[in-house]
Amino acid sequence: MKNTNKSNLILVVDDEIEVQRLMQQRFRKKIQTGELSFQFAQNGLEALQILRNSDAIDVILTDIRMPEMDGLTLLSNLSEFDRPLKAVVVSAYGDMKNIRTAMNCGAFDFLTKPIDFEDLEITINKTLEVVHQLQEQEQKLQEALDKLHNLVFYDQLTGMPNRNGLIQKIAKNIARKQAQGSSFALLTLDVARYSIIKSGFGHALSDRLLIEVARRLERWEVPAKVVARLENNEFAILFQELETPTSLLVYIKQLHQLFETPIQLDEITISSLIHVGIATSDLPYDQPEDILRAADTASHYAKQGSGTRTVFFDTNMQQIALQRLNLEINLQEAIKSQLLQVHYQPIFLLSTDNLIGFEALVRWQHPTQGWISPLKFIPLAEETGLIVRLGNWVLEEACQQMGRWQKLFGVACPAKMSVNLSGLQLVSPTLLKNIDQNLKDAGISGENLVLEITETVLMENIREAFDILRDLRERRIGLSIDDFGTGYSSLSYLQSLPLTTLKIDRSFIQNIETNQTNLEITSTIIELAKRLGLKVVAEGLEKEIHVEILRSLDCDYGQGFLFSRPINAEDATSLIAALVG
């Protein structure tokens, strides 16, 4: 089995020295030509040490009875290695009990001693072929994930971090400030003449303008800075290590000096007028989006004046703190008095336009402020811990509604109810008990329920999540990664966690018909999901062209305002009745 691109390294684990001699003699020619390589260990402990020191091993041939650690114990320890690896047991103790035990421990095959070397060679070739197929599959998945990571977190024009990438950097600096007391500052700036150049000279020249601005910022020698491109002509600079406030003032002066010289593109001279907004780590915010929003607000104020201006964000610009405090008090009362509502957004099978389920979404109609956006009160509920009570109530209401629909429509009832699960709910010791009770009370099965969890929540609770998700899947409950692509996508967790669905964030569907990057991201996510055997839901569908594109990409399901806004239970019931009858 010659394959010059593969190491074909086999670890033989056996305490009989004669086995090592026979292996080297029998496979002498293949060893000389480089088709096979062997490494030897006398027991399971030595084998584990070799495996921990090298990821080049493809196949393990192991005896069962050995000193210090036997072969069966070795097999049970192979799960710690997160790579394609297959083990074949070669033992004189080939009774049915040992064979069954070995296979249950993860053995790929079982051969008996005395060794039939022709049979062993066939088995080695077969096992290596399987390992190589797994390696190639993992490589393709990793390449797809790397591509997705690049599309999601980096600007494709400049190669800089984009808004998503910058938010990750800000979050790390917030954590460092909380742990070590270090200071940072975020500057946002825009090039004032960009829109004129774009409309007057076209995309090619305006793109060159952005690239030149990016290069000036990159060449600027400032320690520990991160430069990002946000949207269009907007850039951001994150100073990660500010020793003193004076350092920031020096950097601001240098930044303005950097753009004193106009930008020359061919025969066109472009004014490099910039507007700068600044948010510092002294602000009372612990969310990266709030820091970025503050810098954007300051930048907006800077644009209102003439010439090059720099504006520091001042909390007096927005009465956020007071508003949030009042909102928290009102939210507590709304949850306690059950003044919230659950609305249901339908989800359709894109290939047939059949209604297959709903997503349960909480809505709040304030008695004096009217409808309050979930983007305001959901993050507040998460920060204050109210999300557990809120989430449990939504889960209960959604299950009860599904039960009512099943009684009303029978087999014609849509099969799935999707409910969002917060991080605090995920690690709650009463989660499984609550879910079991809700399913029982509503008279529905686990197959009718899909729990949506964001990537960020999963990665922050990965150890606790693994066992919980396994228990949920044992109940046949669907598990969906919500807003996929906006968090840290790890191939190892995608392969190891018992997921059923990936949900593409609406930000990638918006303008997918004109935004090539969004199209590539969406296509990559769907391709990745198919390789992992997962279903795909796209949210945020607002135009017919969105459906056409997603169908062409083989996306399974879709939801969005094109089909329906989230609607109350009565309207959802009428929708089902209209579609089934």
Side-chain angles (χ1 to χ4, degrees):
M1 182 178 181
K2 187 169 184 177
N3 189 336
T4 56
N5 294 323
K6 304 295 182 182
S7 62
N8 294 339
L9 180 56
I10 299 167
L11 176 60
V12 180
V13 189
D14 200 309
D15 59 340
E16 296 181 29
I17 301 300
E18 181 65 11
V19 169
Q20 178 176 341
R21 187 189 68 79
L22 290 173
M23 290 283 183
Q24 292 173 326
Q25 179 180 340
R26 180 63 180 80
F27 295 103
R28 183 177 65 259
K29 291 184 179 180
K30 291 195 173 186
I31 292 172
Q32 290 174 346
T33 60
E35 294 179 55
L36 291 178
S37 299
F38 289 88
Q39 202 164 344
F40 299 91
Q42 293 190 354
N43 55 59
L45 282 177
E46 286 187 20
L48 286 176
Q49 191 60 47
I50 291 172
L51 290 167
R52 288 166 183 155
N53 292 333
S54 171
D55 59 1
I57 305 294
D58 296 306
V59 174
I60 300 170
L61 303 178
T62 181
D63 196 2
I64 290 182
R65 296 194 177 182
M66 295 175 291
E68 296 189 65
M69 180 183 286
D70 60 64
L72 298 179
T73 304
L74 170 62
L75 289 175
S76 65
N77 278 277
L78 294 182
S79 59
E80 75 171 80
F81 302 102
D82 185 22
R83 62 178 188 266
L85 186 65
K86 295 296 180 183
V88 176
V89 176
V90 184
S91 174
Y93 300 94
D95 56 275
M96 185 57 65
K97 180 180 179 181
N98 275 329
I99 293 175
R100 287 177 63 86
T101 302
M103 301 307 285
N104 288 335
C105 288
F108 181 73
D109 207 340
F110 196 111
L111 301 179
T112 58
K113 292 180 180 180
I115 300 174
D116 181 335
F117 279 95
E118 289 186 6
D119 189 22
L120 176 61
E121 184 171 359
I122 293 172
T123 301
I124 288 174
N125 290 340
K126 176 184 68 175
T127 309
L128 283 170
E129 184 176 353
V130 170
V131 170
H132 293 158
Q133 289 174 351
L134 292 173
Q135 290 171 341
E136 290 170 3
Q137 180 184 24
E138 184 170 283
Q139 182 179 356
K140 290 179 180 178
L141 287 171
Q142 188 61 55
E143 288 172 355
L145 200 59
D146 290 343
K147 178 182 177 182
L148 174 62
H149 184 272
N150 182 268
L151 290 169
V152 171
F153 293 103
Y154 289 89
D155 174 55
Q156 301 304 297
L157 177 65
T158 64
M160 292 176 164
N162 59 15
R163 180 177 291 271
N164 292 330
L166 177 64
I167 284 175
Q168 284 194 332
K169 298 288 187 182
I170 298 172
K172 291 180 180 178
N173 279 268
I174 291 173
R176 189 181 301 119
K177 175 199 170 187
Q178 293 171 340
Q180 305 173 8
S182 56
S183 299
F184 65 90
L186 178 67
L187 280 65
T188 59
L189 63 95
D190 68 86
V191 183
R193 298 293 181 260
Y194 171 77
S195 57
I196 298 174
I197 297 298
K198 184 177 180 180
S199 60
F201 296 93
H203 286 278
L205 196 67
S206 61
D207 283 352
R208 286 179 58 193
L209 171 61
L210 295 177
I211 292 171
E212 174 58 28
V213 171
R215 297 299 168 259
R216 285 194 183 188
L217 292 173
E218 284 181 330
R219 291 193 295 265
W220 181 21
E221 295 184 0
V222 173
K225 81 176 189 300
V226 174
V227 181
R229 182 193 171 204
L230 303 180
E231 286 91 21
N232 295 324
N233 61 330
E234 297 178 2
F235 290 83
I237 308 164
L238 177 64
F239 298 115
Q240 300 186 94
E241 298 176 5
L242 284 177
E243 296 181 359
T244 64
T246 305
S247 301
L248 178 58
L249 297 177
V250 170
Y251 295 153
I252 294 170
K253 182 178 180 180
Q254 290 178 359
L255 177 62
H256 288 304
Q257 291 173 343
L258 194 66
F259 286 94
E260 285 179 351
T261 305
I263 296 173
Q264 189 75 34
L265 298 176
D266 297 334
E267 298 177 356
I268 302 173
T269 301
I270 303 168
S271 168
S272 52
L273 179 69
I274 59 174
H275 305 118
V276 182
I278 303 174
T280 67
S281 55
D282 295 331
L283 293 170
Y285 303 142
D286 58 6
Q287 296 299 316
E289 292 84 358
D290 290 336
I291 296 291
L292 182 54
R293 191 179 300 113
D296 282 339
T297 300
S299 179
H300 175 73
Y301 275 79
K303 294 175 189 177
Q304 294 177 359
S306 60
T308 294
R309 296 189 70 218
T310 297
V311 174
F312 281 81
F313 177 79
D314 188 326
T315 51
N316 292 327
M317 293 177 181
Q318 299 171 333
Q319 297 297 323
I320 295 176
L322 181 59
Q323 292 176 6
R324 283 172 63 86
L325 179 60
N326 290 332
L327 194 64
E328 179 183 346
I329 295 171
N330 292 336
L331 180 58
Q332 285 178 323
E333 181 60 30
I335 295 174
K336 180 181 178 181
S337 304
Q338 295 190 352
L339 300 176
L340 301 167
Q341 303 175 30
V342 177
H343 283 195
Y344 302 90
Q345 186 169 41
I347 302 172
F348 289 86
L349 181 65
L350 293 181
S351 61
T352 64
D353 286 339
N354 288 340
L355 176 65
I356 59 95
F358 289 87
E359 180 181 3
L361 298 164
V362 65
R363 293 295 183 261
W364 182 13
Q365 189 173 20
H366 192 278
T368 60
Q369 300 179 37
W371 292 103
I372 296 179
S373 169
L375 297 177
K376 287 187 177 180
F377 71 83
I378 294 295
L380 181 63
E382 290 176 338
E383 292 175 21
T384 58
L386 293 171
I387 194 66
V388 175
R389 286 172 57 195
L390 177 59
N392 289 342
W393 176 78
V394 173
L395 178 63
E396 179 183 358
E397 286 291 309
C399 289
Q400 289 291 328
Q401 187 59 59
M402 176 59 84
R404 288 191 285 268
W405 283 336
Q406 287 187 352
K407 292 176 183 177
L408 185 60
F409 297 106
V411 294
C413 178
K416 302 290 184 182
M417 177 67 77
S418 295
V419 180
N420 292 282
L421 198 67
S422 71
L424 289 177
Q425 283 179 281
L426 182 64
V427 298
S428 171
T430 62
L431 174 66
L432 295 175
K433 180 181 177 181
N434 290 341
I435 289 176
D436 290 340
Q437 191 64 50
N438 283 322
L439 294 176
K440 180 181 178 181
D441 292 346
I444 63 176
S445 71
E447 290 180 314
N448 300 127
L449 181 62
V450 178
L451 296 177
E452 297 190 3
I453 312 165
T454 65
E455 283 184 281
T456 303
V457 166
L458 267 183
M459 295 310 296
E460 289 176 350
N461 305 277
I462 191 67
R463 292 186 178 180
E464 300 93 333
F466 188 87
D467 290 337
I468 295 170
L469 297 187
R470 182 193 60 205
D471 291 338
L472 291 170
R473 280 303 294 147
E474 288 178 355
R475 291 161 169 79
R476 305 182 73 100
I477 294 171
L479 299 173
S480 175
I481 299 296
D482 195 13
D483 302 338
F484 184 75
T486 61
Y488 178 75
S489 305
S490 165
L491 179 59
S492 61
Y493 92 69
L494 285 176
Q495 290 178 311
S496 62
L497 293 176
L499 307 173
T500 59
T501 310
L502 298 184
K503 194 167 191 179
I504 304 175
D505 185 64
R506 68 179 65 252
S507 64
F508 301 134
I509 304 303
Q510 292 174 352
N511 302 322
I512 191 175
E513 71 277 16
T514 58
N515 189 311
Q516 183 64 30
T517 298
N518 282 357
L519 179 62
E520 288 185 26
I521 290 173
T522 302
S523 175
T524 301
I525 292 175
I526 293 173
E527 179 186 358
L528 183 66
K530 298 300 180 184
R531 288 180 179 173
L532 292 167
L534 304 177
K535 297 294 185 181
V536 184
V537 180
E539 62 179 352
L541 280 67
E542 297 181 359
K543 305 173 185 176
E544 287 289 349
I545 189 65
H546 293 168
V547 177
E548 294 174 11
I549 292 173
L550 290 166
R551 280 177 181 156
S552 71
L553 296 175
D554 199 23
C555 181
D556 300 295
Y557 309 112
Q559 67 184 97
F561 289 176
L562 175 66
F563 299 120
S564 172
R565 292 175 176 270
I567 51 181
N568 61 33
E570 182 180 351
D571 291 340
T573 303
S574 299
L575 174 64
I576 299 172
L579 292 175
V580 302

